[in-house]
Amino acid sequence: MQYLTVLGATGSIGESTLDVVARHPDRFRIFALSGYSQLDKLARQCGQFKPGFVAVADQQSAAILAEPLRALSPATEIVVGQQGLCDVASAPEVDMVMAAIVGAVGLRPTLAAVLAGKKVLLANKESLVMAGGLFMDAVRRAEATLLPIDSEHNAIFQCLPANYGLGQRGGVRKVLLTGSGGPFRSAPLESLSAMTPDQACAHPNWQMGRKISVDSATMMNKGLELIEACWLFDLHPEEIDVVIHPQSVIHSMVEYVDGSILAQLGNPDMRTPIAHAMAWPERVTSGVASLDIIQTARLDFESPDLQRFPCLKLAMEAARRGGSAPAILNAANEVAVAGFLGGRLPFTGIAEVVARVLNRLEITEPDSLEAVQSCDQLARHSAEDVIEQLTGKG
Ligand code: NDP
Ligand code: MG
């Protein structure tokens, strides 16, 4: 029996994870769940999975959760704040942690799981983007097992040779990181500035949380994934080609020196990478239907248009620049996406804000978690400033 903590249980990845857990009660049991604003859903999840612990943001949320919890799962203990999240991520009873909180707030609890040497299933790409060097050092020192949930990275992991890593390349020449191009891949360029949050979140192939959906529309998501792949697989940005593949059937590819290209294919459903990582190195059913290859019929590929997707270009530059550039990029993007979702910023303003913040701030070489977090805070303040300027409220 494997005991699992799901950080971000109420989100899109969290729900898919619990769906896989429910299919295998003989293998997986929930130790703890966490949620943030959706406390009713969290209470229902506790009722179904009867965890030992549930983590929420603060005492106020704990008070709201307490009543439904008494009825649905009286033995579940409530813990609060970042400390609560870190505790349930690192408790000795836990075998596996699904890191599926969205954004920079996921960094500390994910790192707590790493430092406790857990099997960490990483969906929260922002933590690697912000603090990749420190994060990967911690993985090595604590001998944690890090398994990628992001579908592209999970695909790459599946296509890499068994002897990859430990200083060995196993004949790998490069990685082809695929992305659908999102809902605005072929929209007229001049229409982008008027796109609404609901239009941006209407992804053609994937059902996801709103933040990552907007990131997919700007292709910042692919840029964050490029940085994520560099850390996970010890690659330089030049060793990764971003390829637009509108059908989202191939989830990424690895090219070898002999000319072979291996790809992982499947329906666009996150339960496949989640089940893969949960059972690794074994395989279990995920509830995902077989891919109908005849129905799929064709696979298209094109290279990304960096004029249409300036966020991808900014992320590529930040990847090459290194140091604090990815953390600044990530923080500015989080603030800009929240501004867009909240109706303060047009869609095209997201790239504008990120570019201006990167221009304003000095790139440093943060060598501690505190240093990373102060870069993050600085970039957030700067992004708020830029939004005020751009929207004429400064
Ligand atoms: P969602 O927005 O659906 O879920 C986010 C989760 O984080 C929810 O449980 C939410 O709680 C919780 N949360 C939000 N803010 C806070 C906070 N301040 N403190 C603590 N918890 C918080 O996101 P997704 O599931 O789509 O994405 C999660 C992560 O996985 C992201 O990093 C994303 O990039 C990554 N990912 C997602 C994919 C997908 O298909 N969805 C694919 C690949 C990667 P609540 O809902 O209760 O407010
Ligand atoms: Mg992805």
Side-chain angles (χ1 to χ4, degrees), residues 125 150-153 212 221-222 225:
K125 64 191 86 186
D150 216 341
S151 57
E152 295 76 6
H153 305 74
I212 184 176
N221 184 49
K222 213 47 55 185
E225 290 183 354

Side-chain angles (χ1 to χ4, degrees), residues 8 10-13 36-38 100 123-126 150 208-209 270:
T10 46
S12 165
I13 293 287
Y36 184 66
S37 62
Q38 302 189 75
N124 176 250
K125 64 191 86 186
E126 295 91 343
D150 216 341
M208 307 181 287
M270 289 307 292

Side-chain angles (χ1 to χ4, degrees), residues 74-105:
T76 301
E77 193 178 315
I78 304 177
V79 297
V80 299
Q82 281 271 320
Q83 192 56 50
L85 289 171
C86 292
D87 290 346
V88 296
S90 59
E93 299 92 326
V94 175
D95 301 295
M96 250 190 280
V97 176
M98 168 56 77
I101 290 175
V102 62
V105 287

Side-chain angles (χ1 to χ4, degrees), residues 210-277:
R210 283 174 84 77
K211 191 264 177 179
I212 184 176
S213 295
V214 175
D215 286 348
S216 298
T218 60
M219 281 194 85
M220 178 60 93
N221 184 49
K222 213 47 55 185
L224 300 178
E225 290 183 354
L226 173 84
I227 300 168
E228 181 186 13
C230 288
W231 288 116
L232 281 172
F233 307 120
D234 195 18
L235 295 166
H236 293 289
E238 314 77 67
E239 295 173 297
I240 302 173
D241 289 350
V242 173
V243 180
I244 293 199
H245 164 48
Q247 291 90 354
S248 298
V249 164
I250 290 180
H251 300 310
S252 278
M253 301 175 253
V254 173
E255 182 181 326
Y256 287 79
V257 289
D258 61 6
S260 299
I261 294 182
L262 300 194
Q264 187 257 1
L265 288 71
N267 281 320
D269 186 322
M270 289 307 292
R271 291 176 300 175
T272 294
I274 289 168
H276 170 266

